[in-house]
Amino acid sequence: MKQPNILFIMSDDHASHAISSYGSVINHTPNIDRIAEGGIRFDNCFCTNSICAPSRATILTGVYNHINGVKTLDDHLDGTMMNFPKLLQQAGYETAIIGKWHLGHGGNSDPTGFHYWNVLPDQGDYFDPEFIEMGKTKRINGYVTDIITAMSIDWIKKRDKNKPFMLMCHHKAPHRSWLPSPKYADLYKDADIPEPPTFHDDYSTRAEAARAARMRIGRDLLKKDVKGEPPQNSSPGQIKSWNYQRYIKDYLRCVASIDESVGLLLDTLQDEEIWNNTIVVYTSDQGFFLGDHGWFDKRFMYEESLRMPLLIQYPQEIKAGSVSRDMVLNVDFAATFLEAAGVAVPEEMQGRSMRPVWSGHTPPDWRTSMYYRYWMHLDKEHSVYSHYGIRTHDYKLIYYYADALGTTGSLDERKPAEWELFDLKKDPCEMNNVYGAAEYASVIALLKQELLALQLAVKDVPYETDEGERFA
Ligand code: CA
């Protein structure tokens, strides 16, 4: 078998409910949809820790954050660790990463495993951004999404055509603060974007963690996010709606540039006549609250933030227009690309190749539950409590242990531990925490057992207080 090329396109904070092939009611993404139409849409792809750096580290290394050490936004990836690009290099691939890196710079933190790298420092800028090209800093005029796209196309065209390639095209957009390209500045100008059904969530049945989070559209968006002030004498409800329109329109305008980028990249594969032998992936490092539960941002194990968009096209193995409900995770990506390239997956990688899943041959022992952990306790801006939990196809059990445990970027202030249980079949929007309801007692007992088993299987440890008290 000829080794396939891999074009991995990842945006930052692009929730699947802002992609039309996932049924978005707020925008259209005709080019991203081309990947879904020509390949497979995964409806249950989840991240294992819903923030940027940790998800990126997991994708590269194929292990969970307690193993690769990138538990929070303030941790850097140790570039001497094993990662899948290094293994592809050894197997004869030409590899590159262009765009957002966000895993530290200098020392051991620069990208490793890439013949070519040209990345934004930290978050990078939307306009006239600096790039670090193989260690050298250079400012480039223009809009960041367009620049990353042009660089990626240029790299594909100039690649060594005797070798298969793996390119990671990592967009900054649509990350906060949302600055759209002038080209899309007037998109949605006269439109009123619908508010999501959970926009007025009052968190009444939920853990204190939900009430304590500082991610509210009406209260916590800053002037720089909404670029202006609501009309004078607006009520709190009017301010919330006004903020939402300002926020979501700029977010979707940023997405419009991403969609255009995907179209140009797909056209390039056609022009280069490598369409048939290239695995094209579109994903984002995690999901995002698009006004859902009255929030922006991510971090929580709730659906909108946990779910990653994942669309993959590979004509040789994936039937056009496929949809999968099997549970796949960001920790699976590395193993998947290695297996598709005919490279043995190292023992220490904790994910599983989704290749049989994409070709419609899901193994009978494929996972039916997943483990999640958010470590960054009470980070200074969003104040989300640290938590871990399990999601099955039917339920989600979350344990807010609410302790920093010495992690970077966390506030060392313990909060009372709490549980949440959601019956996803009855309550897909997670509005009603049923933890403690008598009819769920046996479900809870089983989920706790399975949570512990998952946690131990990935070599993580349950939370234990200084007094030796564990969850029960
Ligand atoms: Ca992100």
Side-chain angles (χ1 to χ4, degrees):
M1 185 196 81
K2 206 176 153 208
Q3 287 171 308
N5 304 306
I6 300 166
L7 171 58
F8 182 80
I9 309 168
M10 182 160 75
S11 54
D12 194 336
D13 294 0
H14 188 188
S16 52
H17 49 312
I19 294 177
S20 30
S21 51
Y22 277 98
S24 169
V25 294
I26 54 173
N27 69 335
H28 291 283
T29 51
N31 290 298
I32 295 172
D33 296 351
R34 281 163 66 187
I35 305 177
E37 285 152 17
I40 186 165
R41 186 187 81 212
F42 285 93
D43 281 355
N44 287 314
C45 179
F46 302 121
C47 60
T48 48
N49 180 0
S50 184
I51 30 174
C52 306
S55 182
R56 286 154 198 274
T58 286
I59 288 169
L60 284 164
T61 59
V63 299
Y64 287 79
N65 296 134
H66 56 278
I67 305 287
N68 62 37
V70 186
K71 294 173 178 171
T72 76
L73 292 179
D74 293 2
D75 293 320
H76 293 168
L77 182 64
D78 176 357
T80 63
M81 281 186 73
M82 175 56 62
N83 67 34
F84 86 85
K86 288 183 189 178
L87 296 170
L88 289 181
Q89 276 187 322
Q90 287 166 21
Y93 273 74
E94 190 180 16
T95 62
I97 180 167
I98 295 170
K100 187 161 175 182
W101 170 246
H102 200 217
L103 288 165
H105 294 291
N108 277 343
S109 296
D110 284 330
T112 55
F114 300 98
H115 292 100
Y116 177 76
W117 53 274
N118 196 353
V119 296
L120 297 165
D122 304 316
Q123 294 285 1
D125 293 323
Y126 271 105
F127 288 97
D128 303 334
E130 268 188 356
F131 279 83
I132 307 174
E133 183 182 28
M134 311 287 286
K136 283 209 183 86
T137 302
K138 202 157 89 177
R139 184 174 295 282
I140 299 178
N141 290 332
Y143 185 65
V144 69
T145 304
D146 300 341
I147 297 168
I148 292 169
T149 307
M151 284 175 172
S152 299
I153 290 172
D154 192 54
W155 187 86
I156 292 173
K157 287 186 171 164
K158 290 181 181 156
R159 75 192 188 279
D160 178 350
K161 293 187 176 138
N162 297 311
K163 288 181 177 176
F165 74 81
M166 192 285 292
L167 169 63
M168 303 184 94
C169 169
H170 284 192
H171 284 295
K172 167 190 171 59
H175 194 279
R176 189 185 186 190
S177 296
W178 308 276
L179 298 183
S181 159
K183 188 172 173 183
Y184 295 110
D186 288 337
L187 191 64
Y188 311 110
K189 199 173 150 219
D190 302 315
D192 206 25
I193 310 288
E195 292 171 356
T198 59
F199 192 61
H200 298 293
D201 188 356
D202 63 3
Y203 322 110
S204 55
T205 73
R206 308 248 289 290
E208 183 55 30
R211 282 181 288 276
R214 300 200 59 86
M215 303 181 348
R216 295 192 196 174
I217 295 274
R219 182 191 66 190
D220 302 321
L221 278 171
L222 306 174
K223 211 191 276 187
K224 68 169 186 187
D225 297 316
V226 294
K227 290 116 191 163
E229 306 225 25
Q232 277 200 334
N233 304 320
S234 298
S235 68
Q238 286 166 330
I239 293 172
K240 185 174 173 184
S241 291
W242 187 88
N243 277 358
Y244 171 72
Q245 293 297 327
R246 299 286 289 193
Y247 148 59
I248 201 71
K249 285 181 183 179
D250 274 348
Y251 178 93
L252 296 176
R253 288 165 183 147
C254 290
V255 169
S257 286
I258 296 289
D259 187 63
E260 180 186 318
S261 166
V262 170
L264 294 170
L265 286 161
L266 293 175
D267 292 347
T268 304
L269 298 181
Q270 272 169 337
D271 295 346
E272 295 284 306
E273 297 179 348
I274 48 174
W275 179 263
N276 208 36
N277 196 42
T278 301
I279 298 171
V280 185
V281 178
Y282 182 80
T283 189
S284 179
D285 54 354
Q286 19 43 224
F288 212 70
F289 296 105
L290 305 176
D292 313 282
H293 300 287
W295 286 332
F296 60 96
D297 215 74
K298 55 250 182 182
R299 296 159 197 274
F300 277 102
M301 199 191 167
Y302 299 136
E303 292 293 272
E304 296 84 355
S305 137
L306 178 70
R307 190 181 303 282
M308 301 164 77
L310 180 64
L311 305 168
I312 305 181
Q313 176 186 280
Y314 182 30
Q316 298 197 12
E317 296 189 6
I318 302 174
K319 203 169 141 239
S322 310
V323 175
S324 173
R325 294 207 68 251
D326 292 315
M327 230 181 248
V328 296
L329 310 175
N330 58 352
V331 73
D332 296 330
F333 290 12
T336 305
F337 301 144
L338 291 173
E339 203 203 300
V343 179
V345 180
E347 268 298 276
E348 65 258 39
M349 283 197 178
Q350 296 177 306
R352 193 166 169 186
S353 168
M354 58 181 92
R355 193 172 166 219
V357 180
W358 77 32
S359 59
H361 302 96
T362 304
D365 64 342
W366 193 258
R367 73 168 69 81
T368 53
S369 60
M370 60 83 61
Y371 175 61
Y372 178 89
R373 184 159 190 175
Y374 174 77
W375 296 82
M376 202 170 181
H377 180 62
L378 289 176
D379 79 289
K380 61 180 182 300
E381 218 176 324
H382 306 87
S383 292
V384 174
Y385 295 3
S386 53
H387 57 286
Y388 56 70
I390 176 174
R391 189 199 191 281
T392 66
H393 284 289
D394 295 341
Y395 297 102
K396 187 184 291 174
L397 181 72
I398 308 175
Y399 180 56
Y400 298 92
Y401 60 93
D403 195 344
L405 294 175
T407 50
T408 56
S410 299
L411 184 69
D412 192 13
E413 184 184 313
R414 239 168 84 189
K415 299 284 183 186
E418 281 179 286
W419 291 90
E420 284 184 329
L421 174 71
F422 297 101
D423 183 337
L424 298 174
K425 284 268 171 338
K426 284 190 190 154
D427 178 26
C429 293
E430 302 169 310
M431 294 292 279
N432 193 18
N433 169 24
V434 291
Y435 189 84
E439 70 255 47
Y440 290 100
S442 57
V443 167
I444 290 170
L446 285 171
L447 286 171
K448 283 187 178 175
Q449 261 178 30
E450 198 171 338
L451 170 59
L452 183 62
L454 284 178
Q455 198 166 37
L456 298 177
V458 299
K459 301 186 172 65
D460 198 7
V461 285
Y463 176 72
E464 194 168 343
T465 64
D466 301 338
E467 298 80 42
E469 152 206 344
R470 275 189 180 190
F471 74 74

